Structures are given as C-alpha cells and as structure tokens.
Amino acid sequence: MSIGFNRPSVTGNEEKYILQALQSPKISGDGAFGQKCQKWFEQNLPCKKSLLTPSCTAALELAALLIDIQPGDEVIMPSYTFVSTANAFVLRGAKIVFVDIRPDTMNIDEQLIEAAITDKTRAIVPVHYAGVACEMDTIMEVANRHQLFVIEDAAQGMMSTYKGQVLGTIGHMGAFSFHETKNYTSGGEGGLLIINDDQFTERAEIIREKGTNRSQFFRGMVDKYQWVDVGSSYLPSELQAAFLWGQLERADGINTSRLASWQVYYDALLPLQAAGKIELPSIPAACTHNAHMFYLKVADLDERTALLEHLKTNDILAAFHYVPLHTAAAGEQFARFQGEDRYTTTESERLIRLPMWYGLPKDDQARVISAIEEFYV
C-alpha cells in the first residue's frame, strides 16, 4: 500500500457540525460556528481581533488593504515562500523586495532586512517556515525604528511560539492557513487574519464585508448598513467554520500527535545526520514548533532527485517545496532580490518533505525511515 504525502485532519465531529450548520438559518458566514472559532482564537492566541477568511491568500490581501499599500510601495519578504505572500501586495501595485534566508531555519535572515529598506518601504512580511519562528525581536526592532508594518505570514505556524508568544500575535497582523495540508483545516481551503493593533479592527470588518458596515448593523450599532469603504468578499462559508470547529476542539490532541510523529523521524534519522549524510531541521532554543512538516536536506539537487525517485519506487510519496519566487517569470517582473542569493536557491534544492499528518501510522513511518536508510547504505 502506498504512503501518501498528506492526509487532511479529521477528528470525528466535523460531519456532525457541518450538518448542524446546514440546518441553521445562516450558512453564508459569521454564524454560530464562525463566532465560536473566532472567539477561540481571540482567547487562545490571544489577539485583539480574529477574522476567518476563505483562505490565507485572502487574509494577506485583507492585510495589504488595511495598511493601504499603494503602487510603488515596497514590501520586504523572503523569496522562499508561497506565491500568495507576494501576490497579496503585488495586487495593490507594490514592488516586492526579496532578501536571503537563513540556512538553519529557512526563514528570512533578519540581519539582512535593514539593508533592503528604502524610503519606499512600507512593510516587512516574515514567513514562519515549517511552523518555526523567525527572529522576531530583531525584525520588530528594525520595523519600529523605521516605522514599518509587520505582517506575519504564519500560514504554517498555528500553535507555534517565539519566546512564549504565539506566532502571528507579534506583528501588527498575522495570517494563517487552514488549507488541507495544514495542521488544522476547514475542509479544504480556509484562512484567518488576526489583528494585534486596535487601529485596524473596525476597518478590517468593513473591508471583509465588501466595504460595508454590515457587521456593525448586525450588532445594532447602526440602523442600516451601507457601502462605506473599499472592500471585497473575504467572508468564508459557515460550513468551513463548522469543519474547523471540529478541529479546534481537538487542537491540543492534533498538536501532540504531530509532534510525536516528528520526533520519531528525528530520532530515527539522527544517525544519518551524525554520519554526514543528511541534515535535519533546526529548532532555535527560543522557539516551540507545531510539527507542521518534517523535512531533511541532502547534498544537492541531483541527490534529492535520486532520493525522491527511490522513495517513489517504494510507494512513498515525498516532495520538495517552493521554487524561489525571484527565479520565476513573475518574480522577475514584480520583484527584485536585494543582495546575494547565497542560500535561498541552493538550500531549497536540497530540501525534501516526508509524509506527515495527524495520526500517521507508526508502520508507515517505519517504512519511510527504512527506505531512507536503505538509500544511504
């Protein structure tokens, strides 16, 4: 039997809650399940305000609108990220400025950010790769000194922390993903924007509701709702929220299960690292991670291709990850790379992600580990 790369989390109550949502008078969003989810985030992260969105892409687009990105503005981020991180700001006319990553965490190199700042820079977007935090103290100090916004792309970072603070709660805003590949899912796609600065709270609701004050109307704050600002349709279905609530009820259990699977990989593959065959993930002392993924690094691109093929012949589906955005055609058009690409490309070509999901069977893990060991004999 083949071992897949991912299996979306299902804890047992999702179907029941979806049926309840279908029977409710409000399924277009912000119903009972949506409110429960948002309250959970506000209490457990915590944050000033949480707003469910149809995707993390939508959450990032909403953040770009909230900080009023204009044509010609510049936004700093790593090139080693998903395209949505850049697209959200490109849609508003921004120029993306990429800087190199750290090879230990695959996160943006915080020491290179300041050199990329110009008088056009408006924001820094750190991406917490694999649910491991960027060096946020340095990033926030640079941002505050230059009066820049910080939007955390925490798509992979739910339940991870940096010096005791939950990822996404450190910058002005944080964006999360509930895509089927993430630790917690809302039934395929899904996202969340959390707001940590009160100046954005009221306008975020308006933009999310197509530029209307509809949320204020439902709370009885105005006697009618109308078009008051720019906006778009960033409200997810109540069915998505119902599925997500089934996940949040078991959030700790999902986290514990994934961390256990991650540790099994790490412990079993440690001898190969000691022998100089591979490199394993590095978790800085100030960080706790959420086992979003388990990756290893091999010698080079050729070895990665060979190992992936070896795993495939053993009916194991592993995968590489992002192709750096600055090497893509759109990256050349909408962005520039500041400084030297010392690590972004070479490290991305070495990385392999192993099968990882909630409830990953021990026998499957053992097969994956055995196949990797066999490759290096």
Side-chain angles (χ1 to χ4, degrees):
M1 184 178 295
S2 62
I3 300 173
F5 174 68
N6 176 68
R7 188 175 298 168
S9 300
V10 178
T11 64
N13 284 331
E14 290 86 353
E15 184 176 357
K16 177 178 72 173
Y17 293 153
I18 287 172
L19 288 173
Q20 288 179 17
L22 283 171
Q23 293 164 2
S24 75
K26 186 175 177 61
I27 64 170
S28 62
D30 277 350
F33 286 108
Q35 295 296 330
K36 282 182 178 182
C37 290
Q38 290 174 171
K39 184 177 180 181
W40 190 95
F41 293 121
E42 288 165 13
Q43 292 178 340
N44 287 276
L45 295 182
C47 57
K48 303 280 188 183
K49 183 73 175 177
S50 75
L51 294 168
L52 291 177
T53 59
S55 64
C56 187
T57 302
L60 289 165
E61 290 178 9
L62 179 51
L65 283 162
L66 284 168
I67 64 172
D68 197 27
I69 291 293
Q70 296 293 317
D73 288 344
E74 294 182 353
V75 179
I76 297 170
M77 65 182 66
S79 173
Y80 190 66
T81 185
F82 189 59
V83 64
S84 294
T85 315
N87 259 340
F89 301 92
V90 170
L91 280 169
R92 310 257 62 82
K95 183 80 169 182
I96 306 302
V97 180
F98 295 125
V99 300
D100 207 8
I101 60 170
R102 293 169 42 159
D104 59 343
T105 61
M106 303 298 286
N107 286 332
I108 190 169
D109 189 332
E110 69 280 358
Q111 300 299 328
L112 302 178
I113 292 174
E114 193 152 26
I117 295 173
T118 71
D119 59 0
K120 297 179 180 179
T121 307
R122 292 291 311 288
I124 304 168
V125 185
V127 180
H128 302 300
Y129 186 73
V132 177
C134 298
E135 183 50 58
M136 291 303 296
D137 279 356
T138 301
I139 292 171
M140 293 306 297
E141 189 278 326
V142 170
N144 290 335
R145 187 152 36 84
H146 291 273
Q147 298 183 310
L148 304 176
F149 295 111
V150 175
I151 313 298
E152 294 178 71
D153 185 336
Q156 302 169 4
M158 183 60 71
M159 302 285 279
S160 296
T161 67
Y162 170 80
K163 296 186 177 180
Q165 292 179 274
V166 177
L167 301 191
T169 68
I170 304 167
H172 295 86
M173 286 174 269
F176 296 86
S177 173
F178 302 122
H179 185 267
E180 65 177 21
T181 58
K182 301 304 187 290
N183 295 28
Y184 310 97
T185 179
S186 54
E189 281 278 4
L192 172 74
L193 182 71
I194 65 170
I195 297 169
N196 309 310
D197 188 326
D198 284 328
Q199 68 173 302
F200 299 114
T201 301
E202 182 176 334
R203 189 166 184 242
E205 285 190 331
I206 289 170
I207 293 174
R208 178 174 174 259
E209 280 277 19
K210 308 166 188 69
T212 73
N213 56 358
R214 188 167 180 261
S215 294
Q216 295 175 6
F217 170 73
F218 282 124
R219 289 198 296 268
M221 297 169 65
V222 294
D223 60 0
K224 60 185 176 183
Y225 75 85
Q226 57 186 319
W227 182 20
V228 296
D229 200 348
V230 298
S232 191
S233 185
Y234 292 135
L235 185 69
S237 158
E238 185 70 359
L239 303 182
Q240 287 180 281
F243 194 106
L244 180 60
W245 182 246
Q247 307 266 294
L248 296 181
E249 282 188 323
R250 306 285 180 85
D252 289 336
I254 292 172
N255 198 44
T256 299
S257 171
R258 295 184 71 105
L259 286 167
S261 296
W262 190 98
Q263 197 65 46
V264 167
Y265 275 138
Y266 188 89
D267 292 343
L269 296 173
L270 202 54
L272 286 177
Q273 176 170 264
K277 302 292 188 181
I278 63 174
E279 289 182 25
L280 298 178
S282 174
I283 312 298
C287 304
T288 64
H289 70 107
N290 61 357
H292 171 63
M293 72 174 78
F294 190 94
Y295 66 83
L296 55 86
K297 292 182 185 177
V298 300
D300 52 31
L301 180 59
D302 289 341
E303 186 171 301
R304 181 177 78 176
T305 302
L307 178 53
L308 286 172
E309 185 60 32
H310 172 75
L311 292 172
K312 185 178 179 181
T313 61
N314 283 272
D315 291 325
I316 297 166
L317 182 59
F320 54 86
H321 213 177
Y322 311 124
V323 175
L325 295 182
H326 74 282
T327 65
E332 295 175 358
Q333 180 180 355
F334 300 119
R336 62 180 172 85
F337 197 100
Q338 171 68 30
E340 179 186 0
D341 173 9
R342 185 178 179 187
Y343 295 115
T344 299
T345 298
T346 57
E347 295 300 308
S348 69
E349 290 177 346
R350 299 175 57 210
L351 189 144
I352 292 178
R353 296 180 294 158
L354 301 184
M356 170 67 81
W357 64 82
Y358 168 58
L360 176 63
K362 292 181 179 179
D363 288 348
D364 285 0
Q365 269 200 287
R367 280 180 55 194
V368 175
I369 292 162
S370 178
I372 295 170
E373 291 172 335
E374 180 185 80
F375 179 81
Y376 285 104
V377 170

